[in-house]
Structure formats: structure tokens, C-alpha cells
Amino acid sequence: MSELNELYQQVILEHNKTPRNFRKLELFTHDADGYNPLCGDHYHVWLKLDGDTIADIGFQGNGCAISKSSASMMTSSVKGRTVAEAKELFEQFHSVIMTKIGDPVSEERIEALGSLGALAGVREFPARIKCASLAWHALNAALTNNQSTISTESAKD
Amino acid sequence: MIRRKTITKHSTTYPIDSIRNEFPILGTTVHGRPLVYLDNAATTQKPEAVLKVQETYYREQNANIHRGVHHLSEVATFEYEKARGKVRNFINAGDTKEVLFTAGTTAGINLVASSFGRTFLQAGDEVLISAMEHHSNIVPWQLICEERGAVLRVIPMDDNGELLMDEFERMLSPRTKFVSVVQISNSLGTVNPVRRIITAAHAVGAKVLVDGAQAVAHTKVDVRAMECDFYAFSGHKLFGPTGIGILYGRQELLDAMKPYQGGGDMIRSVTFERTTFNDLPYKFEAGTPNIVGGIGLGAAIDFVNTVGLDAIGAYEQELLQYGTALLSRIPGLRIIGTAAQKAGVISFVLEHAHPHDIGTILDREGIAIRTGHHCTQPVMQRFGIPATARASISLYNRTADFDALAAGLQKVQEIFG
């Protein structure tokens, strides 16, 4: 499989075309913007925490196939998980896509990522790694925001 | 499917092969494919002559300028000032005093905004820029307008990317103190009617800066015929090194303006009580400049003059027409920027593929284009798009480059359907 085919796998193209959870949450506890000023990719992520569990998550915005599919797969992957589990998943995902070209990444590590493993090919494209991690950084920022009450205010952007 | 002409016809007299031979990088490969370089609006490649003078300078001439009595300092000063003379001739400035070396177009515009602004702008005055300006011709004016209490207004454009000139002329009033416009748009390719803009602005007493970053490598510039007050451009978009640029300014304005940066070379005498400033152009050239950059720019200008801007302009128009026709036939492709007067920039969007994905796929084919907002976010907002893919041409491009681009775009469509 060529590097391009590995980057643009069917599952990625499919998530790009019909992103999951591509909606604003009316009731949310946390939210944050993910913006890459250099390329203009821009997403907003909304979260509803129930105790320590991510009960619901949605995103909206604009960007390339890699950033949009990554955001879509992220929302599917973390929904129903605890905050700690979501952060752990991000750590694993981040360490895979940040692995230097040429350094081996074991099948187990990719499989442990579930559907997110489809994005492992992005590490062959250093300029695009930031696309794959953009929504995750927004999620991280949202979780750090520490809003204690559910907000129905519109997003800050 | 993309239909393509297989036979292309260039001006028979244009020496494309010998020109390409002057640029070593054009013979390299990227991802195993011959480089197709269509990102010239971002920066141009460098000919042998420019590479050579820079190496010669550091090997044989390196010294600080304008201060040493030793041989090398005299040589370096001579070469640097000779380059200034070449620039003067190139843009037909009246005097080398009016030719300031800067770090680039951005630095030149910042110098004018800050220095002209602090000298002449008053609360309630108006500064006009256009809807298609690069961020570097927006932000410096926002900063100085805020500082001086002046008002920044924007000349609108239509769906083709042409300025609404009637609207512009209605915006002009005795409050208008400055107009700063781009000669050729980097994201749309529009060639603006700068002569008409300058005449109208002068009629109400306003001064005009023309951002020539995208113009100087493609069309002859004569600042005196244009009658602009300031003209800024970068060396690296003109086959010269990065980090060097030119600001032309009319002498009486530069004389009246406050200095921009203080330091060595820009002073006549310094005491702790009072400093007097050097003559033009040195009043605006504080500190040790980019000497090798200036010399490299001089060599780049020699190169351009050898080919001739009339020949370059005519050749690039042919290429632009060829590329526009070819890309227009691709289903789902929309060209952004369709002004009647255009230079060699083709910005486009594809129906199902985001520009960054287009850029990555083309890169694997060895094709370099720019994707993103091109430092013109308001232009993207005006057209309701987040980004474009942009192919921009230079004197060394060929119709074959557009054939490769079209084939690469077909690959994009195969992936994105």
C-alpha cells in the first residue's frame, strides 16, 4: 500500500464525508476551540460530563479530511469513556502519530487505538500530524476548562 | 475525465530551456518525481548568478559597510551600494536616496505605517486599504490607526475579485490621508488599476503606498510613471535571497517622516542630550543590514533584466491562459479570482477535497503548490471558503507543469471521488 493510500484509507474518507457527532451540544459542561492559525483549520468541541464520564460529545467546524476524520473518530472513541480513559487514549494516539518516520510502531499499539489506528499513517506526513491532533487538543483544552455548571451559552467563537 | 491538449505552443523566441538551466533546483526530484514548482507567489527559486554572488561575498568580500577604512569594508560597501543603484534603475526611482533596503515587503509597509503614521496621522483621519490585502498590508495599519485614533476603511471588491472603483472614489474625502493597496493580489491574481487609484487619492491630498510583492517579477515597474508615494517589495519573490526587500519612498516625504528604528548607521551625531539623523536613505537603515542579501538582490535584478520583463510578462500570460483553460475543464473545480486583468496566480477549490489534502497528494507527485488562506483571511471570508489551493507561475514554468498539475488533480479526485 502506498503511503498516500495508507493516509487516505477508506475509513478516513468515510468519516470525512459523514462525520459522526457533527453537531453542537445544546447542554454541555465543557467546550473549547481548536484552531490552527497557520492553515485555518477550525473546530469547536462540546462535552457533557456525567460525573467522570463523557456522556456526550459533539464537534463542528471546518478543515481537511485528516482533521475532520480525526475529530469524528475521536468523538466516537471517547463517548462513554471516563476522562482518565480519554486522556490515556490521547496519549497513546499521540505517541503513535509522533513516532519518527522509520521507527517501528508495533501492530499491538495500533490495534489498541481501535478505529483511531487508521490514522497511524499520518506519521509519514510530518506536515499533517497537526491536522490529526487538532481536535484532540481542543478536547484536552475543554477538559481543562473546568466549568462546573452546564452551560447553554453559545460557543465563545 | 480530464481532457488535455497534448500539443502546446510557447512563444518561439522565449528561451525557456536556457532559463530553466539557470535554476539548479528545477533539476531535482521530490518523492522520486521531477520537481514541478508552482508556488512562486510564496517564493521564487534562485538562479546560479544569485547563488554565486552570495558565496563570493562571504568568501572574498565580507566586511561591515559604511564604517571601515580597510579594503574589505570598501569593497563590501561598494558592492552593496552598487546593488542599490541597480534597484533604482529597475524601478526607475529618481535617486538612490529614495531606495531603502528593508527586510522585505512586510518590513517596508510597517516602516511607512509607523513612521508616516506617527508624523502625519491625526485623530479622525482615514486610511484606506483594499479587501484583497495581504495581512502585512492590514495589520500595520490597524496598529497605527488604533494608536493615532485614525479610521481604517476597506475598499470592497466584487465576486470576480475586482475592486469596486466607483465605491473607492466615493470613499475618498479630505479626511483620507493614506491609501495602501496591493498591485497584484497574491491570492486572487487580480491586477489592480494602481495608476487610477493613485490619481484619485492624490486629488484629495492622500498619499499612496503600493504593495508590489507580487508584481516586480512579472511586470515592469516605473515608480515615477506610476506616481506612487511609496512602493514596497521583497527580494525573495524576485529570485533574490530572503530577508531583503526594498522600500521606495518619495524624498520629501521620507525627509519629513520621523525615523523608524534608532541605532547605528542612521545617525549623524549622538550625545545623551540629543541625536541628529543621517541623510537618506541611511536615516531609515539602522544597524548592520543584510549586506549579502542586497548584493544577491542586485544579481537577481541583473538576471531579470537579461530575460526582460516584457518577454517574461507575455510568456507568463500565455501560461496563465493555458493553465486556466486546463483547470477550468476539471469537473468540480472552481477558480477563485476571475478578474479581467490577472497575473499568474490560479487559486481554486475542488468540490470534495479540502485544499490541504490536495496539497499533500500533489506533493507526492513532486508538485509544489500553496494551500491555505495565503495570509489573506478576509479574502477567504469574502468568498465564503476556508482556504484555496493556489498554483502560481514564474518565468521558468512550462505548460508541462500545468499538465502535471491536472494529472495530479485527477489523482485527488480518484481518492476523494
Side-chain angles (χ1 to χ4, degrees):
Chain A
M1 193 155 51
S2 82
E3 287 159 355
L4 263 188
N5 291 337
E6 199 165 322
L7 181 66
Y8 293 112
Q9 292 178 34
Q10 277 311 316
V11 58
I12 290 176
L13 297 172
E14 200 270 322
H15 271 270
N16 177 50
K17 223 170 198 170
T18 47
R20 318 292 192 271
N21 304 303
F22 194 66
R23 64 199 161 85
K24 186 192 164 187
L25 299 191
E26 290 307 318
L27 294 176
F28 57 92
T29 53
H30 298 68
D31 74 313
D33 238 8
Y35 178 52
N36 183 337
L38 291 178
C39 68
D41 284 6
H42 196 177
Y43 295 99
H44 200 89
V45 175
W46 292 270
L47 286 164
K48 184 170 169 265
L49 287 197
D50 184 0
D52 206 26
T53 303
I54 299 172
D56 202 1
I57 181 167
F59 81 104
Q60 280 195 327
N62 233 309
C64 63
I66 302 305
S67 62
K68 188 176 276 182
S69 62
S70 176
S72 169
M73 290 193 264
M74 174 190 82
T75 59
S76 306
S77 302
V78 302
K79 206 194 265 189
R81 296 204 192 205
T82 65
V83 170
E85 285 169 346
K87 286 193 168 175
E88 171 61 24
L89 188 60
F90 178 41
E91 289 302 316
Q92 289 173 12
F93 174 66
H94 202 243
S95 87
V96 166
I97 63 172
M98 293 300 286
T99 305
K100 269 190 286 178
I101 299 174
D103 288 358
V105 176
S106 68
E107 283 299 317
E108 295 85 67
R109 282 177 71 199
I110 293 176
E111 273 167 26
L113 294 174
S115 66
L116 293 172
L119 280 162
V122 78
R123 68 196 192 91
E124 302 286 343
F125 298 80
R128 305 300 300 279
I129 289 170
K130 62 186 187 325
C131 310
S133 57
L134 179 60
W136 284 95
H137 288 298
L139 172 64
N140 226 2
L143 289 171
T144 318
N145 268 352
N146 247 349
Q147 279 176 279
S148 53
T149 53
I150 290 179
S151 169
T152 51
E153 302 283 297
S154 61
K156 287 181 296 249
D157 61 356
Chain B
M1 288 295 287
I2 302 157
R3 279 175 50 235
R4 272 197 280 130
K5 273 191 213 163
T6 47
I7 301 164
T8 63
K9 198 164 156 283
H10 287 314
S11 312
T12 44
T13 49
Y14 190 78
I16 182 65
D17 292 333
S18 62
I19 287 171
R20 288 182 65 84
N21 284 338
E22 294 297 319
F23 292 83
I25 207 169
L26 297 180
T28 61
T29 58
V30 170
H31 301 302
R33 305 294 186 92
L35 170 67
V36 173
Y37 189 76
L38 286 168
D39 194 16
N40 294 287
T43 198
T44 54
Q45 301 302 342
K46 317 305 172 198
E48 289 282 8
V50 171
L51 304 177
K52 189 157 167 270
V53 290
Q54 293 181 91
E55 184 172 4
T56 302
Y57 173 78
Y58 277 129
R59 285 184 182 280
E60 299 168 17
Q61 302 165 334
N62 179 49
N64 212 329
I65 56 170
H66 298 147
R67 59 201 76 192
V69 292
H70 59 79
H71 171 75
L72 283 181
S73 180
E74 282 179 3
V75 171
T77 304
F78 176 79
E79 293 296 329
Y80 188 66
E81 292 302 329
K82 193 168 80 183
R84 195 193 304 271
K86 289 176 185 178
V87 176
R88 187 198 76 77
N89 290 332
F90 185 65
I91 59 172
N92 195 30
D95 197 297
T96 49
K97 287 179 177 172
E98 301 182 313
V99 177
L100 315 183
F101 279 118
T102 65
T105 310
T106 299
I109 297 171
N110 274 280
L111 188 158
V112 175
S114 172
S115 185
F116 182 93
R118 283 184 294 122
T119 310
F120 295 113
L121 277 185
Q122 311 273 343
D125 286 346
E126 292 182 355
V127 174
L128 304 190
I129 58 174
S130 88
M132 65 180 80
E133 297 309 318
H134 189 280
H135 296 163
S136 62
N137 201 20
I138 300 173
V139 184
W141 297 108
Q142 287 175 331
L143 292 171
I144 195 68
C145 283
E146 191 181 8
E147 192 180 316
R148 306 296 299 178
V151 179
L152 186 62
R153 301 183 67 196
V154 181
I155 309 160
M157 64 176 160
D158 65 16
D159 291 341
N160 293 320
E162 293 183 359
L163 292 181
L164 299 176
M165 289 298 290
D166 293 346
E167 189 62 33
F168 163 63
E169 281 164 10
R170 272 196 295 275
M171 291 167 79
L172 290 168
S173 79
R175 288 188 304 277
T176 315
K177 287 296 179 313
F178 208 93
V179 178
S180 196
V181 287
V182 69
Q183 186 174 2
I184 295 176
S185 157
N186 73 313
S187 52
L188 301 168
T190 309
V191 179
N192 283 319
V194 286
R195 188 70 196 79
R196 186 176 158 193
I197 291 171
I198 291 163
T199 304
H202 282 173
V204 297
K207 307 301 180 204
V208 182
L209 179 145
V210 175
D211 168 357
Q214 297 295 339
V216 283
H218 310 285
T219 183
K220 228 175 221 168
V221 171
D222 181 332
V223 291
R224 280 189 287 178
M226 191 187 284
E227 294 186 13
C228 57
D229 300 291
F230 301 96
Y231 191 93
F233 65 94
S234 298
H236 73 97
K237 295 191 204 285
L238 184 64
F239 318 105
T242 54
I244 190 77
I246 295 295
L247 176 68
Y248 158 82
R250 277 185 30 230
Q251 190 176 340
E252 64 266 34
L253 287 169
L254 294 175
D255 272 334
M257 281 156 55
K258 291 176 182 169
Y260 178 48
Q261 293 178 321
D265 233 25
M266 58 80 72
I267 51 86
R268 176 161 296 132
S269 72
V270 176
T271 66
F272 285 115
E273 289 71 40
R274 185 165 180 273
T275 293
T276 56
F277 302 114
N278 203 342
D279 292 331
L280 293 173
Y282 312 112
K283 171 182 160 188
F284 288 102
E285 295 183 351
T288 297
N290 183 353
I291 303 166
V292 73
I295 294 169
L297 175 56
I301 286 173
D302 288 342
F303 172 79
V304 170
N305 286 338
T306 306
V307 183
L309 274 163
D310 287 339
I312 294 167
Y315 175 75
E316 289 181 354
Q317 278 299 318
E318 278 181 30
L319 268 185
L320 174 65
Q321 282 169 24
Y322 180 86
T324 305
L326 189 60
L327 296 192
S328 299
R329 287 200 289 271
I330 296 176
L333 186 146
R334 182 159 66 101
I335 292 177
I336 306 294
T338 48
Q341 299 290 319
K342 265 190 78 169
V345 170
I346 308 178
S347 253
F348 60 92
V349 290
L350 271 182
E351 217 169 325
H352 298 298
H354 190 280
H356 301 147
D357 299 310
I358 298 172
T360 290
I361 294 166
L362 292 178
D363 175 57
R364 292 285 147 159
E365 302 292 313
I367 303 165
I369 60 157
R370 174 78 185 269
T371 63
H373 51 59
H374 318 294
C375 295
T376 56
Q377 287 179 7
V379 172
M380 302 297 118
Q381 289 151 17
R382 169 65 178 76
F383 286 92
I385 48 178
T388 74
R390 179 188 72 185
S392 53
I393 59 184
S394 187
L395 49 75
Y396 41 64
N397 286 116
R398 302 169 294 186
T399 53
D401 296 337
F402 278 108
D403 295 339
L405 175 62
L409 290 173
Q410 196 164 0
K411 194 154 231 176
V412 173
Q413 292 193 312
E414 282 163 17
I415 291 176
F416 279 88

